[in-house]
Amino acid sequence: MTSKDRDFAVTDRRGFLLRGLQLGGAVALGGPLLAACGSGSSSSSSSTTSSGSKSFGELTLRLSWIKNVEFAGSYIADSKGYYKAEGFSKGTLIGGGPSATPMETDVVTKKALVGISAPDITGAAIAKGAPLKIIGAQYQKNPFCIMSMAKTPITKPEDMYGKKIGVQAANESIWAAFIKAAKLDASKITKVPVQFDPLPLTQGTVDGWFSFITNEPNVLELKGFKVTTFLLADAGYPLVSETYLVRQDTIDKERELLKAFLRAEIKGWKASIADPALGAKLAAETYGKGLGLTAQEQTLESKDQNALILTADTKKNGLFTVTQKLIDENIQTLKYGGLDITAEKLFDFSLLAEVYKEDPSLI
């Protein structure tokens, strides 16, 4: 992977994951992988030590992409011993990437106890028979945005009328769902097929660019370009992201283990929000060492993603919680993308509710 490929890999990651489920991953989940569910054992099984404290064994967490700052809270939870303090013998963070199997597959087959994904991807797997549930959401706002040059800003959906917008083939399904959700007239927008390097935007070939707000805008800013963005989440596409997925039987049989995991993650992400440079340094120098990441750029991403995580609602109710209003909006947004699923089949936030009821200081 070249440095330029790394710069723009996040959006490509998203398209890759969706394609993996659409073209085979989700189909597999409905067949051979479900048959394998009963074989093997969970990566983490609980027992009680002689002192009476819980011992959950090894924690395996499958990340949704390469080990960049996107998973800062987990790096902090691991490096600061939060996992071990909650009863895990060790934390193993499994990276993703173009050659990796879908996160849902790894959780279904028990290669990982928990996976990080998104409602549309997990929902597609559930619709094909995967016994999964989402138990928490890091990002309260979807990170997709429309980026434009500051001198010719696009600040709201209607500003795209009469403009050329660069959209990657891998993100066509998200774009189409957004057009429906925002009730836009697609005939008034010229969609231009592009790759992932936003050079055409800086050269004026297109007027807007489909991207992650945490990635391409920061890359261009560091190269001296001034850009403007607006989030799809603020314009009719309120889909949470970076969601924790687990097997249904893990919820049924190992609630205390999952609550211990959530407590450690909450502590890790609270530390990341308090110090955005902490997780960035861990990503660049330890967990993602060798990927060509820089602490400077990763810190900018960390600050941006923290703004997606910490909202008025999560300040009040606790990290990873999702209000009923936002749940309802997510279900409606998924329908725009062709996925008809109920909240009960997709989400279970009862574990988080117990965690915060038992220890309100975590809020």
Side-chain angles (χ1 to χ4, degrees), residues 50-299:
S50 58
S51 64
S53 61
K54 282 285 187 180
S55 177
F56 296 118
E58 180 182 355
L59 165 67
T60 50
L61 173 61
R62 170 57 205 278
L63 310 178
S64 56
W65 191 239
I66 60 173
K67 294 180 180 180
N68 60 13
V69 77
E70 196 169 331
F71 314 105
S74 300
Y75 303 152
I76 295 170
D78 183 44
S79 64
K80 286 189 172 291
Y82 297 155
Y83 293 143
K84 287 188 177 180
E86 289 293 343
F88 295 101
S89 59
K90 65 177 292 189
T92 297
L93 308 182
I94 306 171
S99 62
T101 55
M103 300 78 62
E104 283 73 9
T105 302
D106 282 351
V107 174
V108 166
T109 58
K110 300 184 180 181
K111 179 180 178 182
L113 175 73
V114 184
I116 297 176
S117 188
D120 46 351
I121 303 174
T122 302
I126 292 172
K128 292 185 177 295
L132 301 170
K133 282 281 177 64
I134 289 171
I135 62 171
Q138 293 174 11
Y139 290 1
Q140 299 294 296
K141 289 188 173 184
N142 195 279
F144 274 114
C145 74
I146 299 298
M147 175 174 63
S148 56
M149 302 307 293
K151 61 184 179 181
T152 52
I154 295 174
T155 60
K156 60 183 183 297
E158 292 76 11
D159 288 350
M160 294 190 293
Y161 286 161
K163 304 289 178 58
K164 297 178 181 178
I165 308 299
V167 180
Q168 304 79 13
N171 291 322
E172 285 279 0
S173 61
I174 306 291
W175 169 260
F178 169 60
I179 293 296
K180 291 181 181 178
K183 297 179 173 58
L184 294 170
D185 184 346
S187 68
K188 296 181 179 180
I189 304 170
T190 301
K191 178 168 61 68
V192 179
V194 296
Q195 299 299 317
F196 293 94
D197 183 343
L199 181 64
L201 176 66
T202 65
Q203 295 176 331
T205 305
V206 295
D207 306 296
W209 197 266
F210 202 71
S211 73
F212 261 33
I213 198 166
T214 54
N215 188 243
E216 289 95 330
N218 287 322
V219 171
L220 290 187
E221 289 277 3
L222 287 177
K223 292 180 178 179
F225 296 101
K226 299 299 181 182
V227 301
T228 297
T229 61
F230 78 79
L231 281 168
L232 272 57
D234 293 331
Y237 195 80
L239 196 66
V240 296
S241 191
E242 297 301 275
T243 46
Y244 295 108
L245 70 107
V246 299
R247 289 171 53 95
Q248 179 64 55
D249 61 357
T250 307
I251 297 175
D252 297 337
K253 300 175 182 178
E254 301 188 84
R255 293 185 71 84
E256 292 306 314
L257 179 153
L258 290 177
K259 285 158 62 176
F261 164 74
L262 288 169
R263 284 192 295 269
E265 285 285 300
I266 290 166
K267 293 172 184 176
W269 279 105
K270 289 183 72 173
S272 179
I273 291 168
D275 182 5
L278 176 57
K281 183 178 175 66
L282 287 170
E285 299 179 5
T286 304
Y287 293 87
K289 187 176 181 180
L291 294 177
L293 307 173
T294 68
Q296 181 186 20
E297 194 275 332
Q298 293 288 284
T299 299

